[in-house]
Amino acid sequence: MPATRSDIIHQLQKDILLWQGFTPPAATAVPVGLGPVEAAFPRGVFPAAAVHELLSETAEEAAVTSGFVAGLLSPLMRRGGACIWISATRRLFPPALKAFGVEPERVIFIDLNREKEVLWAMEEALQCEGLAAVVAEVKEISFTASRRLQLAVEQSRVTGLVLRHQPRDLNANACMARWRIRPVASEPEPGMPGVGFPRWQVELLKVRNGKPGSWLLEWSAGRFCPVLEKRVAQPQAPARKTG
Amino acid sequence: MAQRFVTIWLYHLVTDWLTIRRPDLRQQPFVLAAPDHGRMVITAASTAAQAQGIYAGMVLADARAILPALQVFNDRPGLAEELLQALAKWCIRYTPFAAIDPPDGLILDASGCAHLWGGEAPYLEAIITRLQAFGYQARAAMAGTIGTAWAVSRFGSAHFMIDSGKEQEALLYLPPAALRLEQETVERLQKLGLVNVSHFINMPRTALRRRFGQELLQRLDQALGREEESIQPLEPVQPFQERLPCLEPILTATGIEIALQRLLEALCNRLRREGKGLRTAVLKAFRVDGRVVQVSIGTNGASHNADHLFKLFAHKIPTIEPALGIELFVLEAPKTDALSPQQETLWTGGCGLESPRLSELVDRLANKLGAHCIHRYLPQEHYWPERSARPAASLDEKPATAWRSDVLRPVRLLPEPERITVAAPIPDYPPMLFRYQGQVHRVRRADGPERIEREWWLEAGPHRDYYVVEDEAGRRYWIFRSGHYDGSRPHWFLHGFFA
């Protein structure tokens, strides 16, 4: 009996996912290489055809969030796709994208004056099937606006990423997942001087039908690498001698 | 197709214009005068004034002696030309080739236009009626050459429609002045008793040339069609242009949309046949009240997709003010590019920068938000960080060099480096701590320095020594010292944030 019961529960969970609009991932789904993080999503696959929300408070957090997003864009754009980056206050330095495996010339930046235009442009861009991803930097997003974006994404299956810097209120919205990326002290190879690979604390605060969690990731060798055991930080000299 | 020209003579151009603006002057004798050699000379006289024996070229004082009640207005140099320009622009609804013929005429190349008005007679009739309705007194003639049309419109008496090939008959009984000759030549001809063209048209050419110069022969040849004569159209005719005259004036947005769709289809078919795509397009609407309103669009890549172009125009249709109605639509493509046929097969597929759907999206965004919002960057061979990327000119521009991947660059770069205060051991160690926006950051790890020299051929200034630093919380920054330690304390700046 217990076997059948678990079967029933399993089947019910699958059905619920279907009713909620989670179609099984297409055969062409791109693995984004997030490793253990992907297990948090329904069916264990990063939902590419969805809108994700990434929060940041400080300028440093905004920078690591941009880095994380660039890391996500690189597998999404691997098949020659283009990306649109919409912002009203852009600080992103295009040549830096190269380090995350993104060809900066394949990114089209749309620099606007008002936030309202950003959301309009994002919705318009998400309806375009010829794109790999759309990134928008926007402070506030209402439930209605996020629902519109989600509907556009379900049609076109383009990945939408909303970077929210210093949001005033964290209202409920229709985004698939809410992320928060924080910088973590890097650790170079033992005995090596200088700054190590970018290392982030990736938090999944909310995820629809998934399990939120927190992971330590590092960007090295052109992919996300989970940092498994936390090594004890060695007390180090403040700076290396150069020259 | 035989060439046909219409010349229009507005023999009271300036005075008619004044009468239109001031209807109270209609029956009054008035003149326009301008100073010439220290006296006022009449430049134009109204019909009522002419009936009193006042004519253009008369000294104003003489005219006042004839008619003390004469009203005088100041003439402005260039006024007549401006009026002609405006009228010629208005005439574009009858033919794309309209030219001015100072001081008081217009020349239209009507080849292949008249059938739209049901024949040459109704065509000429329509022009004259409309001009007279405006209040201009006009005479027009149509002929196979400009010279004959000019002569008949000025001096003709009964027939103003001259068939091609019958120019000579039409000219025979006109005075020599009808040939657009200089005053001197006309006077000499008259002195010799040659008061009609028929008197000298059959004279030996050598005799005519010897006595009256080359000009007479040239004018005669031009009038008879033996010599080609060209006109300078007021607006250069675009190679890609479609016209849609309307039977009834169009007043509604739906009407404009239908007209636009038809024009776009015709233009796109033509572009497709010639393997081209348009980059800019202008829709001109000629209104009944003589004004022209226009809207224009631009695309990022050459396109001949009528649906897409219609969408771009759709945003702008509400800005077209039809007023009393629009009687002619003209769609022009001033800028076109070659469009290779391979791109056509990609019309539905593809997902890269070449994807037509992406360029359509960018066109839509550019037309709504302004093209200045849209940026794309290409690598540039400069070490100076601010100059290491340059904006691309178009969506399909390829990078000339590779992006640098050997050096680490911050994800976020401040547009202006911000001052920080540091504690750093000299000569070129990274700082031990720095203060940015009131917060102290203790540097735990650092890389550098990476010296970047200012490009002296572009600007002068100190070099920068960049360090990648990480503070105790794991936040990574790009900071630099500007210049050397030479006596004074060098300034430190924060320039970016690493991921």
Side-chain angles (χ1 to χ4, degrees):
Chain A
M1 230 24 213
T4 36
R5 176 181 283 177
S6 73
D7 277 355
I8 290 169
I9 291 174
H10 199 68
Q11 188 56 43
L12 272 176
Q13 276 175 341
K14 265 190 183 171
D15 285 349
I16 289 170
L17 284 184
L18 266 180
W19 295 332
Q20 288 187 334
F22 285 94
T23 46
T28 55
V30 198
V32 290
L34 274 172
V37 184
E38 288 189 42
F41 292 105
R43 294 177 205 281
V45 178
F46 175 79
V51 180
H52 298 256
E53 186 188 11
L54 297 98
L55 309 179
S56 62
E57 271 309 318
T58 60
E60 294 86 354
E61 278 183 22
V64 292
T65 310
S66 304
F68 180 76
V69 163
L72 281 179
L73 287 181
S74 105
L76 291 173
M77 291 169 70
R78 195 156 288 156
R79 284 181 307 171
C83 167
I84 290 198
W85 192 296
I86 309 159
S87 169
T89 52
R90 184 167 62 84
R91 293 272 177 273
L92 189 85
F93 188 47
L97 294 176
K98 184 73 188 165
F100 294 94
V102 176
E103 294 294 327
E105 79 265 10
R106 307 195 70 85
V107 182
I108 299 166
F109 295 97
I110 298 178
D111 299 318
L112 303 169
N113 298 324
R114 290 185 299 144
E115 291 233 324
K116 222 173 183 179
E117 289 177 337
V118 174
L119 284 172
W120 178 83
M122 181 171 192
E123 192 185 334
E124 196 80 355
L126 281 176
Q127 284 165 357
C128 177
E129 288 170 31
L131 281 174
V134 179
V135 186
E137 294 181 43
V138 68
K139 226 187 197 45
E140 305 299 331
I141 180 166
S142 67
F143 181 81
T144 324
S146 65
R147 186 84 192 109
R148 289 180 69 104
L149 299 182
Q150 186 64 33
L151 285 175
V153 154
E154 280 168 16
Q155 280 291 318
S156 63
R157 310 200 67 78
V158 176
T159 312
L161 299 160
V162 181
L163 311 188
R164 295 182 65 185
H165 185 54
Q166 294 175 346
R168 269 195 291 274
D169 62 332
L170 290 173
N171 52 344
N173 58 33
C175 293
M176 175 75 197
R178 178 176 283 172
W179 302 75
R180 179 160 199 148
I181 323 291
R182 287 199 177 86
V184 172
S186 65
E187 280 184 30
E189 291 292 307
M192 296 294 279
V195 181
F197 292 117
R199 188 174 280 197
W200 309 306
Q201 186 69 42
V202 176
E203 269 181 85
L204 202 47
L205 302 173
K206 268 188 188 179
V207 52
R208 235 162 247 280
N209 297 300
K211 296 183 202 71
S214 179
W215 298 266
L216 197 61
L217 294 185
E218 193 173 73
W219 181 264
S220 65
R223 61 197 178 86
F224 295 106
C225 301
V227 181
L228 295 176
E229 95 273 31
K230 216 174 166 184
R231 276 173 291 178
V232 185
Q234 304 282 325
Q236 261 200 339
R240 76 180 170 109
K241 290 191 173 183
T242 51
Chain B
M1 186 169 53
Q3 284 215 306
R4 299 293 286 165
F5 291 96
V6 171
T7 58
I8 303 169
W9 183 30
L10 300 144
Y11 44 96
H12 281 141
L13 176 68
V14 186
T15 52
D16 282 345
W17 170 75
L18 207 59
T19 317
I20 293 166
R21 314 195 100 207
R22 304 205 20 201
D24 55 304
L25 290 173
R26 192 167 299 278
Q27 302 301 329
Q28 309 247 347
F30 70 93
V31 294
L32 281 95
D36 178 33
H37 291 94
R39 47 192 193 153
M40 293 297 278
V41 175
I42 292 170
T43 53
S46 71
T47 324
Q50 278 181 343
Q52 303 280 339
I54 296 164
Y55 54 88
M58 206 180 211
V59 180
L60 182 60
D62 296 351
R64 280 232 169 90
I66 298 172
L67 191 70
L70 190 67
Q71 292 194 55
V72 182
F73 298 93
N74 281 332
D75 195 10
R76 179 158 54 81
L79 172 66
E81 194 136 327
E82 275 170 32
L83 295 177
L84 281 179
Q85 295 264 9
L87 281 169
K89 227 171 228 173
W90 174 82
C91 282
I92 289 178
R93 67 197 62 210
Y94 294 107
T95 166
F97 276 97
I100 61 167
D101 177 25
D104 53 5
L106 296 171
I107 303 175
L108 313 180
D109 184 346
S111 316
C113 295
H115 72 275
L116 296 171
W117 277 262
E120 295 189 340
Y123 179 71
L124 210 56
E125 186 71 34
I127 299 178
I128 294 292
T129 321
R130 290 289 296 274
L131 280 172
Q132 280 170 349
F134 283 144
Y136 288 105
Q137 302 172 58
R139 282 163 59 113
M142 193 170 196
T145 62
I146 296 172
T148 306
W150 195 93
V152 175
S153 65
R154 266 69 171 180
F155 296 92
S157 47
H159 300 288
F160 293 99
M161 306 286 316
I162 310 299
D163 294 335
S164 293
K166 294 192 177 165
E167 282 87 8
Q168 191 162 347
E169 291 167 34
L171 287 173
L172 280 181
Y173 298 102
L174 299 181
L179 290 175
R180 295 180 286 172
L181 300 174
E182 279 175 22
Q183 191 59 30
E184 201 185 321
T185 319
V186 174
E187 278 168 13
R188 200 177 308 152
L189 283 163
Q190 252 160 3
K191 258 183 216 162
L192 294 169
L194 305 171
V195 290
N196 275 343
V197 176
S198 62
H199 291 156
F200 58 86
I201 196 165
N202 290 322
M203 282 187 182
R205 290 173 68 87
T206 46
L208 286 176
R209 182 182 293 121
R210 199 168 59 238
R211 281 181 173 268
F212 307 104
Q214 180 63 31
E215 191 215 357
L216 175 65
L217 286 177
Q218 192 194 357
R219 288 303 194 187
L220 208 51
D221 286 347
Q222 281 177 347
L224 297 177
R226 291 186 209 137
E227 193 177 318
E228 194 75 20
E229 187 181 356
S230 60
I231 54 173
Q232 181 73 41
L234 190 72
E235 287 184 359
V237 178
Q238 297 291 343
F240 290 98
Q241 191 196 50
E242 291 293 332
R243 298 163 63 85
L244 184 69
C246 307
L247 207 60
E248 288 284 320
I250 299 285
L251 283 164
T252 60
T254 324
I256 299 175
E257 279 171 17
I258 294 170
L260 179 62
Q261 251 158 358
R262 279 210 211 163
L263 287 170
L264 276 172
E265 263 164 41
L267 188 69
C268 289
N269 279 339
R270 220 184 114 203
L271 288 166
R272 196 167 300 133
R273 274 200 305 279
E274 299 184 21
K276 294 195 167 189
L278 61 82
R279 291 293 305 275
T280 57
V282 183
L283 176 71
K284 291 183 181 167
F286 289 75
R287 297 201 316 213
V288 177
D289 60 2
R291 308 239 162 160
V292 183
V293 281
Q294 61 178 56
V295 291
S296 54
I297 55 147
T299 63
N300 280 286
S303 165
H304 56 220
N305 183 340
D307 288 341
H308 170 55
L309 296 171
F310 181 76
K311 271 186 217 151
L312 297 185
F313 268 119
H315 286 298
K316 308 213 167 167
I317 288 179
T319 63
I320 300 176
E321 172 65 54
L324 292 170
I326 298 165
E327 54 181 355
L328 170 72
F329 290 96
V330 175
L331 182 68
E332 285 174 359
K335 192 174 166 199
T336 55
D337 273 350
L339 188 64
S340 53
Q342 290 96 314
Q343 281 177 314
E344 220 168 323
T345 59
L346 283 171
W347 195 255
T348 48
C351 67
L353 282 175
E354 313 78 30
S355 157
R357 274 176 308 198
L358 175 63
S359 73
E360 283 178 20
L361 168 73
V362 175
D363 288 347
R364 274 207 302 283
L365 294 176
N367 274 279
K368 168 102 183 194
L369 308 164
H372 56 90
C373 295
I374 293 169
H375 301 114
R376 190 176 150 247
Y377 294 93
L378 294 179
Q380 204 173 12
E381 286 191 321
H382 286 284
Y383 287 100
W384 201 248
E386 285 91 333
R387 278 193 284 270
S388 58
R390 69 178 170 87
S394 70
L395 268 188
D396 44 10
E397 195 181 348
K398 298 270 182 295
T401 59
W403 291 97
R404 292 194 64 182
S405 52
D406 52 335
V407 289
L408 210 55
R409 288 288 174 261
V411 169
R412 289 196 163 221
L413 190 80
L414 296 173
E416 283 288 322
E418 285 179 27
R419 279 290 293 278
I420 50 173
T421 50
V422 304
I426 53 172
D428 55 0
Y429 291 107
M432 292 181 296
L433 57 87
F434 67 91
R435 186 189 292 272
Y436 172 59
Q437 289 185 346
Q439 197 186 350
V440 176
H441 301 267
R442 284 176 197 288
V443 175
R444 241 181 98 242
R445 299 173 201 283
D447 259 337
E450 178 193 355
R451 175 163 297 182
I452 300 183
E453 285 287 349
R454 210 177 276 265
E455 288 147 321
W456 53 263
W457 57 96
L458 294 173
E459 59 183 350
H463 64 258
R464 294 171 176 178
D465 283 333
Y466 277 100
Y467 296 89
V468 181
V469 297
E470 186 182 280
D471 72 359
E472 71 277 7
R475 295 170 288 203
R476 291 169 276 269
Y477 303 91
W478 209 32
I479 60 173
F480 69 84
R481 187 187 66 230
S482 187
H484 293 287
Y485 288 101
D486 47 354
S488 62
R489 288 171 63 86
H491 295 307
W492 285 79
F493 295 89
L494 189 142
H495 202 182
F497 303 94
F498 281 98

